[in-house]
Amino acid sequence: MLGQLEHRIRSLFRPRKLRGADIPHDKVTADQATTYMPLPDVVVLPMQQHIGAKCQPQVAKGDHVDVGTLVGHAEARTAADIFSSVSGTVTEIRKIFYSNGDTDVAVVVEPDGAQALDEGVKTPVITDYQSLLDAMKRSGIVGLGGAGFPTDLKLDVDFANIDYWLVNAAECEPYISSDYREMMEHPDTIMHGLTTCLDLSGVKRALLCIEEDKTEAIAFMRAHVEKDPRVKVEVLPERYPQGAGHVLVHNATGRHIPRGGHVTDAGVVLFNVTTMSMIGKFLQDGIPLTKRRITVMGDAVAHPQNVEVFIGTPIRKIMEFCGLAKDARKIIVGGPMMGYSQIDWDYPIVRQNNGLLVFSEMGMDKPRTTACIRCGACINSCPMKLYPREIQNAYRRGDAAALDRLAADLCMKCGTCSYVCPAKQPLTQATRLACDQVKAARKAAKRAAQRKGA
Ligand code: SF4
Ligand code: SF4
């Protein structure tokens, strides 16, 4: 009771120095129930479907695999095992290209239609937090909001200073409504995952953070969380990017993640709502992550919808299912703000992808860049309170000291500055490169200092 009262008082006095932008959400698929794609005739499983080291194939051409058979593994700590989403035969281990020019290896499986479950799949027996961590290593679950961070690694924290378990259900990206459908269709597995984690970690408070425009989900989830006094629904403003880690932590708790720090430095852990639900589901049946829901939208899509796909389903197959209404000219995997362009129709949907957008020539925005008019809109809207135009200038003249002074490494690559800029300056592209440059320089300096000290 005291916890509830304290939370309410904190909410009243919490500073809400919001930036970000008022970007139309256009979630026209939100009210449609999830559809289910039939088994495709091929699944392609790249060995990097997470942040971290690439996995190595654990199967060879001609091998039989079942649903949940391990097909990719890495010894590195930052990686997540990859499991087959279908039963069938491995027909190829082939090279694939990412749209950023990077290459990878993929295991290609031709389904046999039986969808037999691997005999090693067992419901995990959870007795304490360590057994939860051990079980999650066999789950293949990664951050499903788009980040792809291995979930077992994210759960492996020292809870001594953690007093909030935050669940990110903001889903602030326009068009995408995959997390929304998870709340409306699977509130019980969300709660099972969350309450198990709270029980075993000892964290006493959890906030399920939802943007204010999702009124049905707020009411629906409030009804589900009220049985557990530790869990509350926190309503966030409808303003992009509410779901970004720094913004959500600040707006939900009033705390700041320090520069170069981690969410745990603010005394919180943060998990996407569908990730939380998949944890709950895995604890119930022990089946590794083999399917996921994606939002398929864009003016070239005949039937926009939320569809559950087998991980590794090629984009071409998904578009055959959803239909093309116009000639497609642009494919974006993820949301329109933070997703990436894809040029290969045979590239698969992997586990961290939450959206697939397909646009025609007409649906593509092709703005002409003009001179900066010094309006300050980019500064006023940046959720990290950065100076995007200054960062762009410093990056162009190669001024590393200025980039460090301007804290370019805090850029979340959210795209807000580019969106609001009336001159359509490519600010996000510059700040993204500047951010990577500052981080790389920091790492190099740290390594040099370590070598000197050794
Ligand atoms: S500078 Fe980075 S964090 Fe700020 S609005 Fe631009 S992309 Fe987002
Ligand atoms: S929003 Fe665009 S035009 Fe305005 S100050 Fe920033 S870069 Fe210049």
Side-chain angles (χ1 to χ4, degrees), residues 21 117 210 387:
L117 202 56
I210 310 177
Y387 290 75

Side-chain angles (χ1 to χ4, degrees), residues 87 92 248 341 355 424:
S87 64
E92 215 181 341
L248 187 141
S341 296
K424 294 300 161 204

Side-chain angles (χ1 to χ4, degrees), residues 369-387:
T369 302
T370 54
C372 169
I373 57 168
R374 297 176 177 272
C375 65
C378 54
I379 299 167
N380 288 332
S381 62
C382 174
M384 296 306 293
K385 303 179 182 176
L386 300 178
Y387 290 75

Side-chain angles (χ1 to χ4, degrees), residues 240-241 378 381-388 391 408 410-418 427-428 431-432:
Y240 181 85
C378 54
S381 62
C382 174
M384 296 306 293
K385 303 179 182 176
L386 300 178
Y387 290 75
I391 293 173
L410 284 176
C411 174
M412 304 181 299
K413 301 144 184 172
C414 68
T416 308
C417 49
S418 292
L427 297 168
T428 306
T431 53
R432 173 190 286 262

